[in-house]
Amino acid sequence: MSTHAIQATSDEAVYQRLLERFRPVFTRIAQGAREREQHRELPYQQVAWLKDAGFTALRVPASHGGTPVSHTDLFRLLIELAAADSNVAHLLRSHFSFVETIALQPAEFQDRWFPRVLAGEIFGNAATERGGNALGATNTKLINTGAGWVLRGEKYYTTGSIFADWVVVMASTDGVEGRQYAVVERTAPGVRILDDWDGFGQPLTGTGTAIFEDVPVQEQNIIQRKVASTLEPAFFQLCLLAVLVGIGKAARGEAAGLVAARTRTFNTGSGALFRDDAQIQELVGRLAANVFAAESIVITAARELDAAHDAALGLDEQQAYLRAELAVQQAHVATPKLVLDATSELFDVTGASAVSTSKSLDRYWRNARTVATHNPVAFKARSVGDYFINGTIPTGLNSIGEAKGKK
């Protein structure tokens, strides 16, 4: 066996051990996932199980007491978690993204925050505003009162923050170029997190409004936001794609289970049980192939993100950025349609009983459609095309706001 083959086997063995470690937790989380969505029961307990199992600390460096996994293994695990409950996988997106951000900060910052991650503390996100902010700026402000810094503003789409110990808030400071991150305790005076997300999908992610009313911020917990040539946007978007693939895998399992158990049929078909009908088998096979393709694409993009971080490759900052961002943007163009097709085709493998609200099979499509709206595919496709035609370096998503020249 070649050295390359031996290494590939070793890497897969590492992942399988990780999967064996967390599979029992994922199985527990899957139990009751449908009922939680039906009754809008936020998964606080399920998040606690993951913290207790060490899942939220998987990317802490060895230099700070962690046993870090590769990006590839992390995203494969996130896919499996999303197959169990896409809400739970999605709400951890902000947490894992901030762990990546910690690793980019000076040693003093890392020394303060990595121990908190190891202790199981969770980080949420408050970056986007519902409207009124100029693109590249925020209406949320960091203000120096003379007696210290305070945070003032309102955010929406604050996924995961309602479950978090800390909220990472994007803000602007008058007279300071760019934007900053302010890290504040979720329970600090002046912080209010509302569960008012009204989207038709991903209802249990804690995505909603966060209000900050003169919240004290320690100066050491303010980070200048770096935009150009960072790997953070690629990581942030790949989290969404992993959630999408997990939804597809769950829909594939539902399709197979429905067909295997069904005894009713139609006179216009073969008259055989659905599980023995060649046309139904083909439908499930095509659905499964879409999910397989989507998962393969996302895993390949994750490997490119690992390559971008690999010092042994000798990539400079822009080369590393391009390798990760281009891979994730291409994955972003291809993956949503594959999963959306699979979650829609779920209804083609059975009869009208599939639309019963008691089954909640529509949640797969609704959740996938919701995740897929986060970053318009058209913009990613244009960016990829511009790179291959003109060599234009893709721009990662780092800001949402009002367009210039808006009337």
Side-chain angles (χ1 to χ4, degrees), residues 80-124:
E80 296 304 320
L81 175 57
D85 187 329
S86 61
N87 293 276
V88 177
H90 190 171
L91 70 86
L92 288 174
R93 176 194 186 207
S94 301
H95 170 79
F96 281 115
S97 295
F98 187 65
V99 175
E100 298 293 305
T101 298
I102 294 172
L104 300 175
Q105 303 309 310
E108 183 273 335
F109 192 90
Q110 295 183 31
D111 290 343
R112 283 192 295 113
W113 290 104
F114 276 137
R116 294 186 179 276
V117 180
L118 279 177
E121 295 184 16
I122 298 285
F123 296 84

Side-chain angles (χ1 to χ4, degrees), residues 288-353:
N290 275 350
V291 175
F292 174 79
E295 184 172 24
S296 300
I297 290 167
V298 170
I299 291 172
T300 298
R303 287 173 178 154
E304 288 298 286
L305 186 57
D306 275 324
H309 281 85
D310 189 349
L313 295 180
L315 303 177
D316 62 31
E317 188 178 70
Q318 187 171 36
Q319 289 171 328
Y321 167 80
L322 178 61
R323 184 150 188 175
E325 186 64 32
L326 185 61
V328 173
Q329 288 200 14
Q330 290 178 93
H332 198 103
V333 174
T335 304
K337 187 177 188 306
L338 290 166
V339 176
L340 287 168
D341 284 352
T343 55
S344 179
E345 289 162 0
L346 169 60
F347 295 92
D348 295 333
V349 303
T350 184
S353 61

Side-chain angles (χ1 to χ4, degrees), residues 118-395:
L118 279 177
E121 295 184 16
I122 298 285
F123 296 84
N125 158 68
T128 305
E129 295 169 3
R130 210 161 197 175
N133 65 299
L135 187 65
T138 69
N139 289 330
T140 301
K141 299 296 184 183
L142 271 168
I143 301 163
N144 192 339
T145 65
W149 290 91
V150 296
L151 181 69
R152 186 181 301 161
E154 182 173 312
K155 299 289 188 178
Y156 195 62
Y157 306 111
T158 54
T159 303
S161 290
I162 203 167
F163 305 94
D165 301 287
W166 299 86
V167 186
V168 184
V169 187
M170 191 176 290
S172 301
T173 303
D174 290 341
V176 178
E177 185 178 356
R179 291 161 290 159
Q180 296 81 45
Y181 284 136
V183 188
V184 299
E185 288 190 81
R186 181 181 57 81
T187 56
V191 177
R192 285 191 290 151
I193 309 292
L194 309 180
D195 180 30
D196 60 349
W197 168 237
D198 64 353
F200 61 59
Q202 295 296 89
L204 309 182
T205 56
T207 299
T209 301
I211 300 166
F212 305 95
E213 298 175 333
D214 293 335
V215 180
V217 184
Q218 296 181 35
E219 187 166 4
Q220 62 185 355
N221 293 343
I222 299 173
I223 312 169
Q224 187 65 31
R225 176 82 166 91
K226 184 179 180 182
V227 173
S229 299
T230 74
L231 301 175
E232 292 170 284
F235 183 95
F236 213 49
Q237 295 307 312
L238 202 52
C239 287
L240 291 176
L241 297 182
V243 173
L244 269 174
V245 172
I247 294 169
K249 293 187 80 167
R252 182 188 65 193
E254 285 276 16
L258 286 168
V259 170
R262 185 177 173 86
T263 58
R264 289 167 61 82
T265 189
F266 297 84
N267 72 297
T268 49
S270 67
L273 289 168
F274 264 39
R275 65 174 177 264
D276 297 324
D277 189 295
Q279 289 179 297
I280 300 298
Q281 291 171 349
E282 179 186 6
L283 286 172
V284 175
R286 290 184 182 278
L287 185 159
N290 275 350
V291 175
F292 174 79
E295 184 172 24
S296 300
I297 290 167
V298 170
I299 291 172
T300 298
R303 287 173 178 154
E304 288 298 286
L305 186 57
D306 275 324
H309 281 85
D310 189 349
L313 295 180
L315 303 177
D316 62 31
E317 188 178 70
Q318 187 171 36
Q319 289 171 328
Y321 167 80
L322 178 61
R323 184 150 188 175
E325 186 64 32
L326 185 61
V328 173
Q329 288 200 14
Q330 290 178 93
H332 198 103
V333 174
T335 304
K337 187 177 188 306
L338 290 166
V339 176
L340 287 168
D341 284 352
T343 55
S344 179
E345 289 162 0
L346 169 60
F347 295 92
D348 295 333
V349 303
T350 184
S353 61
V355 303
S356 170
T357 56
S358 65
K359 290 185 171 67
S360 294
L361 297 181
D362 59 310
R363 74 188 188 277
Y364 297 115
W365 184 89
R366 287 187 292 100
N367 288 340
R369 181 68 273 177
T370 299
V371 174
T373 62
H374 280 58
N375 194 348
V377 169
F379 297 159
K380 295 302 185 187
R382 183 213 58 77
S383 177
V384 170
D386 194 15
Y387 170 76
F388 282 107
I389 296 168
N390 302 309
T392 305
I393 302 300
T395 300

Side-chain angles (χ1 to χ4, degrees), residues 22-33 36 49 80-81 84:
F22 292 110
R23 183 180 280 128
V25 186
F26 297 165
T27 299
R28 290 177 70 195
I29 289 172
Q31 295 167 359
R36 286 194 296 273
W49 294 341
E80 296 304 320
L81 175 57

Side-chain angles (χ1 to χ4, degrees), residues 49-63:
W49 294 341
L50 290 166
K51 290 196 294 187
D52 292 344
F55 187 78
T56 56
L58 283 174
R59 286 285 297 164
V60 175
S63 58

